């Protein structure tokens, strides 16, 4: 392929027509097609050969008769071919083709030849690749399309079928520009031939075609660029109700009537989200109710947690996950710590702790390395308020810690330079997969008198002065 856009209108010999089928109750070896790959990023043409293979050969052509494979791979894990030597292509151990940097020239039909064994005839599979440009609404955008050998004239069209259409922009070898799209200021062209959209709108989500005249004596060549418009959501991660202002962590005291809602507002395209319960070994999708809405250009998706088992546990972790293949979000999940609000703390034995003012005190949890720990403080067990929580397995999933407090590695709580106002009831709620523990402390602050002995006052007689 001499140029970097997809040629259309050329005569193609269809040598193989490959479909996904089932053979003897088992899924046949398959390659997913079509595959959409984003320009300027690494891409993979995913193939799965459950029966293994002796070797595979990849071609960047539909008719491979007389063609040289761009990359080959055999069971000895040896890779070869001009595409591999140049660094343009690589191959996955499962046989999938890796494109290190997707360009317009990769919008074509790739063929893979599979040799199951040296004795069997090869099998052939084809994958149609479509390259996509994602342009953000309301911002300038570029449709990358370069011509290494230069051009005499370029004509850009905002249509797939250009028969009878008028070019929106024309540019010649002297870089003279014309056309209604250029005159209106909607479009411009880069010196390398790429089309520039000055302000991307929803109307630009279409297939653009460029006609390239190499010389006046040659027939023109036609290439296409597919445009998808995007809009980043208002927040850069899934947002859970009641936790909008705590992006690093989310703690909710809940009752059975409470609604735990997760949503992503105003994205394009819509981003699917799900609730899962988080365990040390895996995340399991749980029952939830999905709601979605749309305006003229963007979508809002929401999912409400309805996991029955959450009502049977005092504390658990859930995660709201977003399926975001385009990368509109900075983080694809938000973890939530749910703790029952109506725990009966009055049934827990209270440990009396006395500590001298200005000294340090350490209050321990029964579990030394719990998966989750929550520390509470209050005047009594009847009005405890969550003050500190930590989930070590989630990295920085930790609440802010009051001054002079320190949460130790073993989940115990140290209060430094104890003050009179620290005199309160403290409670630790710790949890792992096998055990849940509760600890309550009644902290009393001791203040010794100064001086530390009785003081006798000597009275001084009062003298009444005569009045005048």
């Amino acid at each position: 392929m001499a140029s970097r856009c997809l040629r259309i209108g050329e005569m193609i010999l269809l040598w193989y027509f490959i479909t996904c089928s089932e053979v003897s109750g088992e899924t046949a070896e398959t390659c997913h097609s079509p595959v959409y790959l984003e320009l300027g990023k690494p891409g993979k043409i995913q193939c799965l050969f459950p029966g293994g293979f002796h070797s595979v050969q990849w071609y960047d052509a539909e008719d491979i008769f007389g063609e040289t494979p761009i990359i080959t791979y055999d069971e000895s894990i040896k890779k070869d071919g001009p595409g591999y030597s140049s660094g343009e292509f690589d191959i996955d151990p499962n046989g999938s083709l890796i494109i290190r940097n997707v360009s317009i020239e990769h919008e074509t039909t790739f063929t893979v030849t599979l040799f199951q064994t040296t004795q069997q005839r090869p099998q052939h599979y084809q994958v149609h690749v479509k390259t996509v440009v994602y342009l953000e609404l309301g911002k300038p955008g570029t449709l990358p399309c370069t011509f290494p050998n230069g051009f005499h004239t370029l004509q850009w069209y905002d249509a797939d079928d250009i028969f009878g259409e008028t070019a929106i922009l024309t540019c010649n070898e002297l870089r003279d520009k014309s056309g209604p799209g250029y005159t209106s200021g909607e479009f411009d062209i880069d010196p390398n031939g790429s089309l520039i959209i000055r302000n991307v709108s929803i109307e630009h989500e279409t297939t653009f075609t460029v006609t390239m005249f190499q010389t006046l004596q040659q027939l023109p060549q036609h290439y296409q660029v597919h445009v998808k418009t995007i809009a980043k959501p208002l927040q850069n991660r899934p947002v859970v109700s009641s936790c909008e202002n705590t992006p690093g962590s989310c703690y909710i005291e809940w009752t059975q009537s409470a609604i735990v809602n997760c949503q992503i507002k105003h994205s394009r395209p819509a981003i699917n989200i799900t609730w899962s319960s988080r365990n040390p070994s895996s995340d399991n999708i749980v029952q939830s109710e999905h709601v979605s809405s749309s305006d003229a250009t963007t979508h809002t998706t929401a999912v409400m947690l309805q996991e029955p088992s959450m009502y049977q546990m005092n504390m658990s972790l859930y995660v709201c996950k977003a399926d975001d293949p385009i990368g509109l979000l900075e983080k694809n999940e938000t973890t939530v710590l749910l703790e029952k609000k109506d725990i009966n703390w009055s049934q827990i034995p209270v440990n009396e702790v006395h500590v001298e003012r200005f000294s340090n005190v350490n209050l321990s949890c029964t579990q030394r390395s719990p998966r989750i720990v929550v520390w509470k403080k209050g005047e009594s067990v009847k009005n405890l308020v969550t003050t500190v929580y930590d989930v070590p397995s989630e990295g920085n999933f930790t609440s802010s810690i009051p001054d002079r407090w320190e949460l130790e590695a073993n989940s115990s709580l140290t209060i430094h330079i104890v003050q009179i106002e620290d005199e309160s009831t403290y409670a630790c709620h710790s949890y792992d997969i096998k055990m849940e523990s509760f600890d309550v402390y009644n902290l009393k602050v001791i203040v010794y008198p100064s001086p530390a002995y009785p003081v006798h006052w000597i009275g001084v007689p009062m003298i009444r002065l005569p009045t005048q």
Side-chain angles (χ1 to χ4, degrees):
M1 290 169 286
S3 57
R4 297 181 178 272
C5 290
L6 173 65
R7 179 176 299 187
I8 61 175
E10 53 187 4
M11 298 300 294
I12 299 175
L13 174 63
L14 183 58
W15 195 19
Y16 302 105
F17 179 72
I18 307 300
T19 60
C20 296
S21 60
E22 292 193 353
V23 180
S24 300
E26 296 181 353
T27 303
E29 296 90 344
T30 60
C31 293
H32 301 286
S33 183
V35 173
Y36 293 86
L37 303 179
E38 186 175 358
L39 287 170
K41 295 187 177 182
K44 180 182 287 190
I45 302 178
Q46 189 73 44
C47 281
L48 179 63
F49 307 109
F53 53 84
H54 174 268
S55 63
V56 293
Q57 297 176 343
W58 278 97
Y59 300 81
D60 57 352
E62 186 169 8
D63 179 5
I64 64 174
F65 182 76
E67 295 286 336
T68 299
I70 55 176
I71 188 170
T72 62
Y73 181 65
D74 60 33
E75 59 184 355
S76 64
I77 319 180
K78 181 182 178 181
K79 305 175 185 178
D80 201 1
Y84 178 70
S85 301
S86 67
E88 183 179 357
F89 299 98
D90 200 352
I91 199 164
D92 195 87
N94 67 4
S96 299
L97 183 67
I98 298 171
I99 304 175
R100 295 189 181 277
N101 185 34
V102 176
S103 66
I104 293 295
E105 66 180 350
H106 296 126
E107 180 155 345
T108 186
T109 298
F110 287 80
T111 301
V112 57
T113 298
L114 168 72
F115 292 86
Q116 198 84 49
T117 67
T118 55
Q119 290 76 33
Q120 292 178 302
R121 286 188 176 186
Q123 300 174 28
H124 308 276
Y125 302 90
Q126 292 182 337
V127 180
H128 306 287
V129 172
K130 293 185 179 294
T131 55
V132 179
V133 178
Y134 294 104
L135 302 181
E136 189 169 357
L137 291 170
K139 295 186 177 182
T142 300
L143 279 59
C145 198
T146 59
F147 305 94
N149 298 323
F151 55 85
H152 179 274
T153 304
L154 286 182
Q155 295 176 335
W156 276 97
Y157 299 82
D158 56 353
D160 185 0
D161 182 3
I162 64 174
F163 181 78
E165 296 287 334
T166 301
I168 56 174
L169 192 151
T170 299
C171 179
N172 62 24
E173 59 184 347
L174 301 177
R175 300 306 186 261
D176 295 327
K177 309 170 188 177
S178 61
Y182 178 71
T183 304
S184 67
E186 182 179 358
F187 300 98
D188 199 353
I189 196 168
D190 193 89
N192 66 6
S194 299
L195 184 67
I196 298 172
I197 305 175
R198 296 188 181 276
N199 186 31
V200 176
S201 67
I202 193 70
E203 288 76 18
H204 296 125
E205 184 161 322
T206 185
T207 298
F208 286 79
T209 302
V210 57
T211 299
M212 190 271 287
F213 294 84
Q214 192 81 55
T215 67
L216 291 178
Q217 291 73 35
Q218 293 177 301
L219 290 174
Q221 299 175 1
H222 306 279
Y223 309 92
Q224 292 183 333
V225 180
H226 308 282
V227 173
K228 296 290 184 182
T229 56
I230 62 173
K232 293 184 177 180
L234 297 181
Q235 292 84 16
N236 60 7
R237 61 190 298 158
V239 177
V240 177
S241 54
S242 306
C243 295
E244 291 86 350
N245 299 322
T246 56
S249 59
C250 180
Y251 167 85
I252 297 177
E253 279 188 316
W254 57 271
T255 60
Q256 190 163 346
S257 59
I259 296 176
V260 183
N261 183 54
C262 179
Q263 64 181 351
I264 296 177
K265 292 183 177 180
H266 304 301
S267 70
R268 181 179 180 86
I271 300 176
N272 184 48
I273 49 180
T274 56
W275 277 110
S276 297
S277 61
R278 173 147 291 178
N279 302 304
S281 58
S282 64
D283 292 337
N284 301 315
I285 295 178
V286 299
Q287 180 180 344
S288 53
E289 179 182 348
H290 290 76
V291 178
S292 60
S293 61
S294 303
D295 56 26
T297 57
T298 63
H299 308 270
T300 295
T301 53
V303 58
M304 290 177 286
L305 186 60
Q306 294 180 325
E307 167 65 357
S309 66
M310 63 186 286
Y311 305 117
Q312 304 169 12
M313 305 175 66
N314 289 314
M315 191 155 55
S316 54
L317 279 178
Y318 288 86
V319 57
C320 179
K321 289 186 176 183
D323 182 13
D324 179 30
I326 298 177
L328 299 179
L329 301 171
E330 292 182 9
K331 190 169 182 180
N332 288 358
E333 62 180 47
T334 297
T335 306
V336 182
L337 172 57
L338 298 181
E339 184 186 29
K340 271 189 178 179
K341 189 174 183 179
D342 54 359
I343 296 175
N344 189 358
W345 287 95
S346 61
Q347 295 182 347
I348 311 300
V350 178
N351 301 289
E352 296 290 338
V353 176
H354 295 81
V355 60
E356 185 178 350
R357 184 170 63 164
F358 304 134
S359 62
N360 300 335
V361 64
N362 180 264
L363 307 176
S364 63
C365 294
T366 299
Q367 297 192 63
R368 296 298 181 179
S369 300
R371 182 164 172 256
I372 307 171
V373 61
V374 175
W375 277 98
K376 301 172 180 289
K377 179 183 178 181
E379 295 180 0
S380 69
V381 292
K382 294 182 180 180
N383 53 13
L384 291 170
V385 176
T386 296
T387 310
V388 175
Y389 54 86
D390 183 38
V391 185
S393 61
E394 294 297 310
N396 62 347
F397 193 101
T398 305
S399 63
S400 58
I401 299 178
D403 293 339
R404 299 182 293 103
W405 283 32
E406 182 179 0
L407 191 61
E408 306 289 354
N410 63 2
S411 299
S412 65
L413 176 65
T414 297
I415 303 175
H416 298 276
I417 314 175
V418 173
Q419 305 294 327
I420 295 176
E421 57 265 28
D422 295 323
E423 190 170 87
S424 295
T425 298
Y426 295 83
C428 174
H429 183 190
S430 55
Y431 169 80
D432 64 17
I433 295 299
K434 297 181 180 180
M435 185 173 67
E436 184 175 28
S437 301
F438 303 89
D439 300 275
V440 178
Y441 299 91
N442 188 18
L443 183 64
K444 296 295 185 181
V445 179
I446 300 172
V447 179
Y448 290 103
S450 179
Y453 51 83
V455 176
H456 299 279
W457 293 93
I458 300 176
V460 178
M462 295 181 62
I463 301 175
R464 183 183 296 274
L465 298 175
T467 57
Q468 297 182 355

